[in-house]
């Protein structure tokens, strides 16, 4: 008499093996997709060079950086996620060397004529106007004509800045031969030299003066400011060619921010007016 037996499916059954293979393939696929998504979601890092240039950047040892530019960079990170902007501290004299070394990729509130090589950089459209004026102590015998001839007058200016009256020369030795000039590193130092009569004329950015007068209205009557500019310039953003961000993309981020009412407080805080084409 034959015994009836019942066969059980073993772990080695073909259908179970196929299922395991399918499950493994799906797991690998999900892992790869997840990994690619994580990589592509990482923002591109962009370094922005900053130098002490109130009210755009206030860079002092031992305290956090501040100013219009810092507020703007914070907003640039807030308004989009494709790029992350961070700052690299430099100076007016070292900034071109540091750029050539690759220490940073972008300069804001800049001007192409300030020593940039157009074969190495590209620029956004203009988004703000600026300029430098001459200042001196006001007096009954001082008129606007006082600024028409700088010959023999002691002048206070910023080390490394490009000025029209110097024909954009920045070398201290060359300037010392041609002018009676005192070079410092801070706009406030120039103002203090004028007030203490250590120099007769200071060359100062209009943006700094306007920002200073917001909290020192009484000083408007103490100083005589030239009616004409030493130079006027168009502020642009400058980006490294083939760098992590193009000038076109930088411009897109900047102008979208200028048009966004959520960030209108930046211009209002510093008394500037963005150009928004």
């Amino acid at each position: 008499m034959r015994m009836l037996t019942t066969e059980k499916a073993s772990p080695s059954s073909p259908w179970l093996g196929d299922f395991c293979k399918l499950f493994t393939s799906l797991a690998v696929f999900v892992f790869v997709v997840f990994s690619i998504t994580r990589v592509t979601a990482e923002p591109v890092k962009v370094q922005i060079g900053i130098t002490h240039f109130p009210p755009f950047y206030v860079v002092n040892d031992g305290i956090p950086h501040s100013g219009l530019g810092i507020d703007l960079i914070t907003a640039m990170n807030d308004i989009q996620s494709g790029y992350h902007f961070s700052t690299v501290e430099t100076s007016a004299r070292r900034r071109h060397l540091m750029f050539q070394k690759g220490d940073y990729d972008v300069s804001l509130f800049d001007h192409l004529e300030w020593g940039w090589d157009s074969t190495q950089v590209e620029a956004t459209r203009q988004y703000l106007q600026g300029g430098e004026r001459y200042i001196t102590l006001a007096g009954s015998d001082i008129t606007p004509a006082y600024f028409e001839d700088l010959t023999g007058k002691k002048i206070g200016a910023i080390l490394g800045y490009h000025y029209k009256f110097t024909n954009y020369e920045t070398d201290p030795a060359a300037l010392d031969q041609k002018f009676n000039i005192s070079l410092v590193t801070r706009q406030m130092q120039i103002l203090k030299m004028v007030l203490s009569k250590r120099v007769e004329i200071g060359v100062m950015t209009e943006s700094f003066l306007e920002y200073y007068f917001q909290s020192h209205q009484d000083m408007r009557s103490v100083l005589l400011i030239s009616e004409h500019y030493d130079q006027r310039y168009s502020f642009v953003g400058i980006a490294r060619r083939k760098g992590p961000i193009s000038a076109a993309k930088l411009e897109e981020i900047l102008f979208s921010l200028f048009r966004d009412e959520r960030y209108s407080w930046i211009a209002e805080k510093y008394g500037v007016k963005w150009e928004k084409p």
Side-chain angles (χ1 to χ4, degrees), residues 8 19 43 48-49 61 63 68 114 118 121-122 129 140 151 153-154 157 182 192 219 221 233 242 263 269-270:
K8 295 182 179 180
F19 175 78
I48 298 179
D61 293 337
I63 63 173
L68 187 157
W114 291 345
S118 59
V121 300
E122 52 187 21
Q129 288 214 351
S140 58
T151 305
K153 295 184 174 74
K154 182 71 172 178
S182 179
K192 288 180 178 179
M219 295 302 294
S221 61
Y233 38 76
K242 299 181 180 179
Y263 305 102
K269 177 180 177 180
Y270 296 96

Short mmCIF file of all heavy atoms in Angstrom, two decimals, residues 8 19 43 48-49 61 63 68 114 118 121-122 129 140 151 153-154 157 182 192 219 221 233 242 263 269-270:
data_model
loop_
_atom_site.label_atom_id
_atom_site.label_comp_id
_atom_site.label_asym_id
_atom_site.label_seq_id
_atom_site.Cartn_x
_atom_site.Cartn_y
_atom_site.Cartn_z
N LYS A 8 6.39 20.12 0.90
CA LYS A 8 6.37 21.54 1.30
C LYS A 8 7.36 22.34 0.45
O LYS A 8 8.42 21.84 0.10
CB LYS A 8 6.74 21.69 2.77
CG LYS A 8 5.74 21.05 3.71
CD LYS A 8 6.14 21.28 5.14
CE LYS A 8 5.13 20.66 6.10
NZ LYS A 8 5.52 20.87 7.52
N PHE A 19 11.70 36.37 -6.28
CA PHE A 19 11.16 37.45 -5.44
C PHE A 19 12.29 38.17 -4.69
O PHE A 19 12.32 39.40 -4.60
CB PHE A 19 10.15 36.88 -4.45
CG PHE A 19 9.63 37.90 -3.48
CD1 PHE A 19 8.66 38.83 -3.86
CD2 PHE A 19 10.13 37.97 -2.18
CE1 PHE A 19 8.19 39.77 -2.97
CE2 PHE A 19 9.66 38.91 -1.29
CZ PHE A 19 8.69 39.82 -1.68
N PRO A 43 23.25 72.61 -2.08
CA PRO A 43 23.45 73.90 -2.76
C PRO A 43 24.90 74.09 -3.18
O PRO A 43 25.83 73.59 -2.54
CB PRO A 43 23.05 74.91 -1.68
CG PRO A 43 23.26 74.19 -0.39
CD PRO A 43 22.94 72.75 -0.65
N ILE A 48 31.87 85.01 -1.26
CA ILE A 48 31.80 86.43 -1.61
C ILE A 48 32.86 87.18 -0.80
O ILE A 48 32.90 87.08 0.42
CB ILE A 48 30.41 87.01 -1.30
CG1 ILE A 48 29.34 86.30 -2.14
CG2 ILE A 48 30.37 88.52 -1.56
CD1 ILE A 48 27.93 86.79 -1.88
N GLY A 49 33.73 87.91 -1.49
CA GLY A 49 34.76 88.68 -0.82
C GLY A 49 34.19 89.97 -0.24
O GLY A 49 33.45 90.68 -0.93
N ASP A 61 37.44 93.57 13.96
CA ASP A 61 37.88 92.40 14.71
C ASP A 61 37.03 92.20 15.96
O ASP A 61 36.70 93.16 16.66
CB ASP A 61 39.36 92.55 15.12
CG ASP A 61 40.30 92.52 13.93
OD1 ASP A 61 39.91 91.97 12.89
OD2 ASP A 61 41.42 93.05 14.05
N ILE A 63 33.93 91.32 16.40
CA ILE A 63 32.47 91.47 16.37
C ILE A 63 31.95 90.91 15.04
O ILE A 63 32.68 90.87 14.05
CB ILE A 63 32.03 92.94 16.52
CG1 ILE A 63 32.55 93.80 15.35
CG2 ILE A 63 32.50 93.52 17.84
CD1 ILE A 63 32.02 95.21 15.36
N LEU A 68 24.79 96.66 5.03
CA LEU A 68 23.83 96.40 3.97
C LEU A 68 24.17 95.11 3.22
O LEU A 68 23.30 94.29 2.93
CB LEU A 68 23.80 97.59 3.00
CG LEU A 68 22.74 97.62 1.90
CD1 LEU A 68 22.52 99.06 1.44
CD2 LEU A 68 23.14 96.79 0.69
N TRP A 114 37.62 99.17 -11.42
CA TRP A 114 38.44 99.14 -10.22
C TRP A 114 39.42 97.96 -10.23
O TRP A 114 39.46 97.14 -9.34
CB TRP A 114 37.57 99.08 -8.97
CG TRP A 114 36.79 100.34 -8.73
CD1 TRP A 114 37.00 101.55 -9.30
CD2 TRP A 114 35.68 100.50 -7.84
NE1 TRP A 114 36.07 102.47 -8.84
CE2 TRP A 114 35.26 101.85 -7.94
CE3 TRP A 114 35.00 99.65 -6.98
CZ2 TRP A 114 34.19 102.36 -7.20
CZ3 TRP A 114 33.93 100.14 -6.25
CH2 TRP A 114 33.55 101.49 -6.36
N SER A 118 38.74 92.00 -17.49
CA SER A 118 37.48 91.58 -18.10
C SER A 118 37.57 90.19 -18.74
O SER A 118 36.54 89.58 -19.04
CB SER A 118 37.02 92.60 -19.14
OG SER A 118 37.99 92.74 -20.16
N VAL A 121 36.65 87.94 -15.50
CA VAL A 121 35.39 88.11 -14.77
C VAL A 121 34.28 88.55 -15.71
O VAL A 121 34.52 88.98 -16.83
CB VAL A 121 35.54 89.16 -13.64
CG1 VAL A 121 36.59 88.74 -12.63
CG2 VAL A 121 35.87 90.54 -14.21
N GLU A 122 33.06 88.40 -15.23
CA GLU A 122 31.88 88.92 -15.92
C GLU A 122 31.02 89.63 -14.90
O GLU A 122 31.13 89.36 -13.70
CB GLU A 122 31.11 87.79 -16.61
CG GLU A 122 30.77 86.63 -15.69
CD GLU A 122 30.16 85.45 -16.44
OE1 GLU A 122 30.37 85.35 -17.66
OE2 GLU A 122 29.49 84.63 -15.79
N GLN A 129 23.64 103.00 -7.79
CA GLN A 129 24.62 104.03 -8.16
C GLN A 129 25.36 104.50 -6.92
O GLN A 129 24.84 104.49 -5.81
CB GLN A 129 23.92 105.21 -8.83
CG GLN A 129 23.43 104.91 -10.22
CD GLN A 129 23.51 106.13 -11.15
OE1 GLN A 129 23.78 107.23 -10.72
NE2 GLN A 129 23.27 105.89 -12.41
N SER A 140 32.92 130.48 7.03
CA SER A 140 32.37 131.62 6.29
C SER A 140 33.17 131.94 5.04
O SER A 140 32.64 132.51 4.09
CB SER A 140 32.33 132.85 7.22
OG SER A 140 33.63 133.15 7.71
N THR A 151 45.55 121.21 -5.52
CA THR A 151 47.00 121.40 -5.43
C THR A 151 47.41 121.93 -4.07
O THR A 151 46.90 122.95 -3.59
CB THR A 151 47.48 122.38 -6.52
OG1 THR A 151 47.05 121.91 -7.81
CG2 THR A 151 49.00 122.50 -6.50
N LYS A 153 46.85 120.96 -1.15
CA LYS A 153 45.96 120.71 -0.01
C LYS A 153 46.21 119.30 0.54
O LYS A 153 46.41 118.35 -0.22
CB LYS A 153 44.50 120.87 -0.43
CG LYS A 153 44.11 122.29 -0.83
CD LYS A 153 42.63 122.36 -1.13
CE LYS A 153 42.18 123.79 -1.39
NZ LYS A 153 42.62 124.30 -2.71
N LYS A 154 46.17 119.18 1.85
CA LYS A 154 46.33 117.88 2.50
C LYS A 154 45.03 117.10 2.33
O LYS A 154 43.96 117.57 2.72
CB LYS A 154 46.64 118.07 3.99
CG LYS A 154 46.88 116.77 4.75
CD LYS A 154 48.19 116.10 4.39
CE LYS A 154 48.47 114.92 5.30
NZ LYS A 154 49.72 114.23 4.94
N ALA A 157 42.35 109.97 2.19
CA ALA A 157 41.72 109.01 1.28
C ALA A 157 41.95 107.58 1.80
O ALA A 157 42.70 107.37 2.75
CB ALA A 157 42.27 109.17 -0.13
N SER A 182 47.15 111.54 2.80
CA SER A 182 47.23 110.67 3.96
C SER A 182 46.26 109.52 3.72
O SER A 182 45.05 109.72 3.59
CB SER A 182 46.82 111.44 5.23
OG SER A 182 46.88 110.60 6.36
N LYS A 192 37.24 111.85 10.80
CA LYS A 192 37.89 112.34 12.02
C LYS A 192 39.08 113.24 11.70
O LYS A 192 39.34 114.22 12.40
CB LYS A 192 38.32 111.17 12.90
CG LYS A 192 37.15 110.44 13.57
CD LYS A 192 37.64 109.29 14.43
CE LYS A 192 36.48 108.60 15.14
NZ LYS A 192 36.93 107.45 15.97
N MET A 219 25.71 117.18 12.05
CA MET A 219 26.99 117.28 11.38
C MET A 219 26.87 117.84 9.96
O MET A 219 27.87 118.24 9.37
CB MET A 219 27.67 115.91 11.33
CG MET A 219 28.04 115.36 12.70
SD MET A 219 29.16 116.47 13.63
CE MET A 219 30.62 116.41 12.60
N SER A 221 25.71 120.64 9.08
CA SER A 221 26.09 122.06 9.08
C SER A 221 27.58 122.25 9.40
O SER A 221 28.13 123.33 9.17
CB SER A 221 25.24 122.82 10.10
OG SER A 221 25.44 122.31 11.41
N TYR A 233 29.92 106.03 -10.13
CA TYR A 233 30.08 104.69 -10.64
C TYR A 233 28.79 103.90 -10.50
O TYR A 233 27.90 104.25 -9.72
CB TYR A 233 31.23 103.95 -9.94
CG TYR A 233 31.35 104.22 -8.47
CD1 TYR A 233 30.48 103.64 -7.54
CD2 TYR A 233 32.34 105.07 -7.98
CE1 TYR A 233 30.60 103.89 -6.18
CE2 TYR A 233 32.47 105.33 -6.62
CZ TYR A 233 31.60 104.74 -5.73
OH TYR A 233 31.71 105.00 -4.39
N LYS A 242 33.53 81.02 -15.49
CA LYS A 242 33.56 79.57 -15.27
C LYS A 242 33.66 79.23 -13.79
O LYS A 242 34.18 78.18 -13.41
CB LYS A 242 34.71 78.93 -16.05
CG LYS A 242 34.61 79.13 -17.56
CD LYS A 242 35.76 78.45 -18.30
CE LYS A 242 35.64 78.66 -19.80
NZ LYS A 242 36.77 78.04 -20.54
N TYR A 263 11.73 91.91 1.26
CA TYR A 263 13.07 92.38 1.54
C TYR A 263 13.25 93.88 1.29
O TYR A 263 14.37 94.38 1.23
CB TYR A 263 14.09 91.59 0.70
CG TYR A 263 13.97 90.10 0.90
CD1 TYR A 263 13.33 89.30 -0.05
CD2 TYR A 263 14.47 89.49 2.05
CE1 TYR A 263 13.20 87.93 0.14
CE2 TYR A 263 14.34 88.12 2.25
CZ TYR A 263 13.71 87.35 1.29
OH TYR A 263 13.58 85.99 1.49
N LYS A 269 16.27 100.55 5.31
CA LYS A 269 17.16 100.65 6.46
C LYS A 269 18.40 101.48 6.17
O LYS A 269 18.86 102.26 7.01
CB LYS A 269 17.57 99.24 6.92
CG LYS A 269 18.55 99.21 8.08
CD LYS A 269 18.89 97.77 8.47
CE LYS A 269 19.94 97.72 9.59
NZ LYS A 269 20.27 96.30 9.95
N TYR A 270 18.94 101.33 4.94
CA TYR A 270 20.20 102.00 4.62
C TYR A 270 20.01 103.20 3.69
O TYR A 270 20.99 103.84 3.28
CB TYR A 270 21.17 100.99 3.97
CG TYR A 270 21.55 99.89 4.93
CD1 TYR A 270 20.89 98.67 4.94
CD2 TYR A 270 22.57 100.08 5.87
CE1 TYR A 270 21.23 97.66 5.82
CE2 TYR A 270 22.92 99.07 6.76
CZ TYR A 270 22.24 97.87 6.73
OH TYR A 270 22.60 96.88 7.62
#
